[in-house]
């Protein structure tokens, strides 16, 4: 028998010859023929071949198709010069009517059946191991002399005919400081599954226990390692099981076909296309990916809205990249709850100001276009007003359909939990993300203050409780948008508010959000969130990560998304609607075309144009 030493430097044709002669004392091909492409193998009856090829193209993250043979062809000339698929994998599995009925070292005894069968060679993550190692990243399963860990997920693949299964992933422990390097090293190696599809808590993929892989061996994480998941070609095995073919063959997971193709032909990538990694949640731990170009565009939005036209001192409240991180988190959310409403004009009816609702509706509009669930929660006394505003926003063309409008009452200690989660169960939240935009926020003394230190608590329902409860619910993230420090969510920057904002020692909101977006006018923050979500949705790198590299890119919906963004015309009509309903400018209480004392024309209209 030949032992494992030196196998990584042997040429593929030599390795295949050794495998063919059954002279290897190893259980997988990870680390072998370093720098050469390895392949998953699926062998199906020719009647199923066309549908399986369509399935591969529809799920090209886990199933990058390297080669499809003709029926009965045991060679693959474009991948190797002297191969025989019946003998050149370390081990095979046989499937009959969807059940694995055995493992084999050779398929020669099935040569007659193979004459009517087609072989698919699919890319494998073993192919990128050299690139990962060259980036200075340890490969833990090779260090631990074991197979890579493979897991079934709860992520459905795009189904084609009888091929209907969930995604399978490999997991590699990566030191946190090397996450971005791992993404960069693999993202262009599309035929080896490309960039990771998830980084962080395995539970977000439906994986319950990393120590119990469905295929391969458990690989142990070192302190500081993050579990990183790549789409895996063993998804093809699950597809074979799902189609229940009378007879099919696959490689045994980890026992790949080694090709003669090198991974050297990686296309040159511009700096704009380099992926960046951002942590968007600590509980559960979750990282996201975005292109450098998209990230820079969103940072530019953050700079644009950060001007201080009211000279309030808000520059001291800024936290860099909060807009990017908040919008990455919202992009991953399934269901979003928005709240707005600041009744600063307590001597008028209605007491609301017109900063907040336009920004909230701009966010709701893009969320609708992105097919996310969205609802708005506001004060019970303002329900009728907000219902009318939402109905007219549909007529104006801001919203495609009405947004569900909710109110919150604090009736017991667990009211917030009952509101946010099904039956109050933190494991079943109704919303993944909460956004407060220009929403009155509770101060340290439990009161709610406008900028002039007037307590308006009698007009404000305790929606802050939802944000406080969200801190205790894993997987629910919060964002606060404000322009003065007394808004819900600004507790994250309360020390700066107390130090730099007029009356800050009294009015500062005490309730934190995970992400705090500070803008010269809060509506601008809402417009920026909408534009940032559009940028993320049109970023191919982020789109692939979001859909876990299964299904098709969402870019064909780009025009529809674009139509959901705010425009000067739509916002002008909405402001006229608010004026008609008696909703006043925040600073002056004027019923003119202004917000926070700033004229709509040549101030707010110019900001909208700049953001777009």
């Amino acid at each position: 028998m030949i032992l494992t030493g030196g196998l990584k430097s042997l040429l593929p044709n030599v390795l295949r010859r050794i495998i063919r002669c059954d002279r290897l004392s190893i259980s997988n091909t990870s680390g072998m023929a370093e720098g050469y492409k390895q392949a998953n193998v699926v062998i199906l009856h020719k009647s199923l071949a066309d549908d399986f090829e369509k399935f591969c193209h529809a799920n090209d993250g886990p199933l990058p198709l390297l080669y499809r043979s003709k029926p009965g062809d045991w060679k693959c000339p474009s991948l190797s010069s002297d191969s025989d698929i019946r003998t050149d994998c370390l081990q095979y599995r046989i499937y009959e009517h969807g059940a694995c009925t055995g493992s084999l070292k050779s398929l020669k005894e099935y040569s007659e059946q193979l004459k009517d069968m087609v072989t698919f060679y699919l890319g494998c993550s073993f192919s990128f191991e050299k690139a990962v190692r060259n980036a200075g990243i340890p490969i833990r399963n090779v260090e631990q002399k074991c197979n890579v860990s493979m897991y079934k997920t709860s992520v459905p693949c795009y189904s084609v005919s009888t091929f209907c299964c969930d995604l399978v992933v490999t997991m590699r422990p990566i030191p946190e400081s090397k996450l971005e390097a791992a993404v960069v090293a693999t993202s262009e190696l599309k035929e080896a599954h490309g960039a990771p599809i998830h980084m962080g808590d395995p539970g977000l993929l439906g994986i319950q226990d990393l120590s119990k892989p469905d295929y391969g061996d458990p690989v142990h994480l070192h302190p500081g390692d993050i579990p990183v998941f790549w789409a895996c070609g063993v998804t093809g095995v699950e597809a074979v099981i799902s189609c229940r073919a009378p007879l099919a063959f696959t490689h045994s997971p980890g026992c790949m076909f080694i090709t003669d193709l090198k991974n050297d032909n990686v296309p040159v990538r511009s700096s704009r296309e380099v992926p960046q990694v951002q942590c968007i949640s600590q509980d559960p731990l979750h990282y996201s990916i975005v292109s450098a170009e998209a990230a820079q565009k969103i940072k530019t939005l953050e700079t644009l809205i950060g001007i201080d036209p009211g000279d309030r001192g808000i520059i001291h409240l800024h936290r860099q990249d909060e807009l990017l991180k908040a919008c990455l988190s919202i992009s991953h959310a399934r269901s979003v709850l928005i709240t707005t409403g600041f009744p600063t004009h307590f001597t008028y009816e209605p007491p609301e100001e017109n900063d907040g609702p336009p920004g909230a509706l701009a966010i709701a509009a893009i969320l609708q276009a992105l097919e996310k669930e969205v609802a708005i929660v506001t004060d019970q006394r303002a329900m009728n007003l907000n219902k009318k505003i939402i109905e007219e926003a549909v007529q104006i063309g801001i919203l495609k359909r009405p947004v569900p409008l909710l109110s919150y009452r604090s009736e017991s200690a667990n009211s917030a939990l009952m509101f946010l989660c099904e039956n109050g169960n933190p494991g079943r939240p109704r919303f993944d993300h909460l956004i407060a935009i220009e929403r009155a926020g509770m101060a340290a003394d439990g009161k709610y203050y406008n900028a002039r230190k007037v307590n308006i608590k009698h007009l404000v329902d305790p929606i802050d409780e939802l944000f406080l409860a969200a801190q205790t619910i894993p997987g629910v993230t919060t964002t606060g948008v404000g322009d003065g420090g007394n808004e819900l969510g600004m507790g994250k920057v309360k020390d700066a508010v107390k130090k730099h904002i007029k009356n800050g020692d009294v009015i500062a909101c005490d309730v934190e959000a995970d992400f705090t977006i500070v803008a010269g006018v809060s509506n601008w923050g809402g417009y920026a969130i909408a534009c940032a979500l559009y940028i993320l949705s049109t970023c191919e790198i982020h789109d692939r990560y979001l859909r876990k590299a299964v299904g098709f890119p969402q870019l064909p919906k780009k025009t529809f998304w674009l139509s959901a963004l705010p425009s000067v015309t739509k916002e002008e009509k909405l402001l006229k609607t608010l004026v008609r309903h008696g909703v006043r400018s925040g600073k002056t209480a004027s019923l003119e075309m202004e917000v926070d004392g700033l004229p709509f024309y040549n101030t707010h209209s110019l900001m909208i144009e700049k953001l777009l």
Side-chain angles (χ1 to χ4, degrees), residues 439-449 457 464-465 468 486-488 507-511:
R439 170 71 194 175
M442 186 172 63
D445 62 3
K447 298 175 182 178
Y448 296 80
Y449 295 98
K457 184 174 182 177
D464 306 65
E465 291 180 9
L468 291 168
N486 56 343
E487 301 90 358
L488 177 54
I507 70 172
C509 176
D510 201 51
V511 181

Side-chain angles (χ1 to χ4, degrees), residues 260-407:
D260 293 340
L261 302 183
K262 285 193 169 184
N263 268 320
D264 297 340
N265 56 340
V266 179
V268 178
R269 175 174 48 198
S270 74
S271 59
R272 297 180 310 170
E273 295 170 320
V274 173
Q276 296 182 356
V277 173
Q278 295 281 348
C279 182
I280 59 171
S281 171
Q282 289 292 337
D283 184 18
L285 187 62
H286 194 190
Y287 296 82
S288 191
I289 302 177
V290 62
S291 73
E293 180 181 28
Q296 186 53 54
K297 286 180 180 178
I298 293 171
K299 291 176 183 183
T300 300
L301 297 178
E302 188 172 59
T303 302
L304 283 173
I305 64 171
I307 61 170
D308 190 3
D311 198 26
R312 300 182 186 181
I314 65 164
I315 190 170
H316 302 289
L317 311 186
H318 281 291
R319 295 294 179 270
Q320 192 173 1
D321 294 341
E322 290 285 282
L323 178 63
L324 174 61
K325 291 176 182 176
C327 290
L328 283 168
S329 177
I330 297 166
S331 180
H332 282 272
R334 172 191 51 82
S335 179
V336 180
L337 180 69
I338 303 171
T339 185
T340 190
F342 207 121
T344 188
H345 303 304
F346 54 93
T347 61
Y348 291 94
E349 179 55 43
E352 268 67 33
E353 64 166 298
N354 58 16
D355 188 18
L361 292 175
I363 298 168
I366 191 67
L367 292 175
Q368 282 187 341
L370 294 172
E371 299 175 21
K372 297 183 185 295
E373 295 176 21
V374 56
I376 293 175
V377 60
T378 191
D379 301 297
Q380 179 65 41
R381 57 160 189 81
M383 287 286 281
N384 286 337
L385 172 64
N386 280 280
K387 184 181 179 184
K388 291 174 185 175
I389 292 168
I390 288 171
E391 287 171 353
E392 295 196 35
V394 175
Q395 294 169 12
I396 291 166
I398 291 173
L399 298 172
K400 301 298 180 189
R401 59 189 178 278
V403 176
L405 191 61
L406 310 173
S407 63

Side-chain angles (χ1 to χ4, degrees), residues 104-339:
L104 307 162
K105 286 285 188 182
S106 167
L107 299 181
K108 277 195 166 183
E109 65 183 280
Y110 291 92
S111 294
E112 192 61 34
Q113 292 93 325
L114 288 168
K115 289 178 182 178
D116 287 325
M117 301 184 83
V118 173
T119 302
F120 290 86
Y121 300 80
L122 306 162
C124 171
S125 60
F126 290 174
S127 306
F128 66 49
E129 288 177 340
K130 183 179 181 182
V132 170
R133 200 168 57 81
N134 286 348
I137 301 165
I139 300 174
R140 298 294 189 211
N141 70 291
V142 175
E143 287 178 351
Q144 296 169 27
K145 295 182 172 59
C146 64
N147 199 352
V148 73
S149 302
M150 292 161 266
Y151 304 88
K152 300 175 189 178
T153 71
S154 58
V155 178
C157 290
Y158 186 95
S159 297
V160 174
S161 187
T162 56
F163 296 103
C164 176
C165 68
D166 290 338
L167 175 69
V168 177
V169 293
T170 57
M171 188 282 292
R172 288 170 173 81
I174 305 289
E176 186 175 19
S177 62
K178 300 284 188 180
L179 287 179
E180 195 158 280
V183 174
V184 171
T186 58
S187 63
E188 287 301 305
L189 299 174
K190 300 289 196 296
E191 292 186 339
H193 304 303
I197 58 94
H198 179 64
M199 295 177 286
D201 192 314
L204 294 173
L205 292 177
I207 299 168
Q208 301 305 316
D209 189 347
L210 284 182
S211 70
K212 297 176 180 177
D214 296 291
Y215 300 98
D217 301 317
V219 179
H220 304 293
L221 280 73
H222 289 204
D225 281 353
I226 305 296
V228 178
F229 301 86
W230 278 266
C232 176
V234 175
T235 302
V237 174
E238 290 295 308
V240 166
I241 293 169
S242 74
C243 81
R244 299 181 178 274
L247 181 67
F249 304 98
T250 71
H251 68 293
S252 280
C255 301
M256 303 301 169
F257 175 82
I258 301 171
T259 78
D260 293 340
L261 302 183
K262 285 193 169 184
N263 268 320
D264 297 340
N265 56 340
V266 179
V268 178
R269 175 174 48 198
S270 74
S271 59
R272 297 180 310 170
E273 295 170 320
V274 173
Q276 296 182 356
V277 173
Q278 295 281 348
C279 182
I280 59 171
S281 171
Q282 289 292 337
D283 184 18
L285 187 62
H286 194 190
Y287 296 82
S288 191
I289 302 177
V290 62
S291 73
E293 180 181 28
Q296 186 53 54
K297 286 180 180 178
I298 293 171
K299 291 176 183 183
T300 300
L301 297 178
E302 188 172 59
T303 302
L304 283 173
I305 64 171
I307 61 170
D308 190 3
D311 198 26
R312 300 182 186 181
I314 65 164
I315 190 170
H316 302 289
L317 311 186
H318 281 291
R319 295 294 179 270
Q320 192 173 1
D321 294 341
E322 290 285 282
L323 178 63
L324 174 61
K325 291 176 182 176
C327 290
L328 283 168
S329 177
I330 297 166
S331 180
H332 282 272
R334 172 191 51 82
S335 179
V336 180
L337 180 69
I338 303 171
T339 185

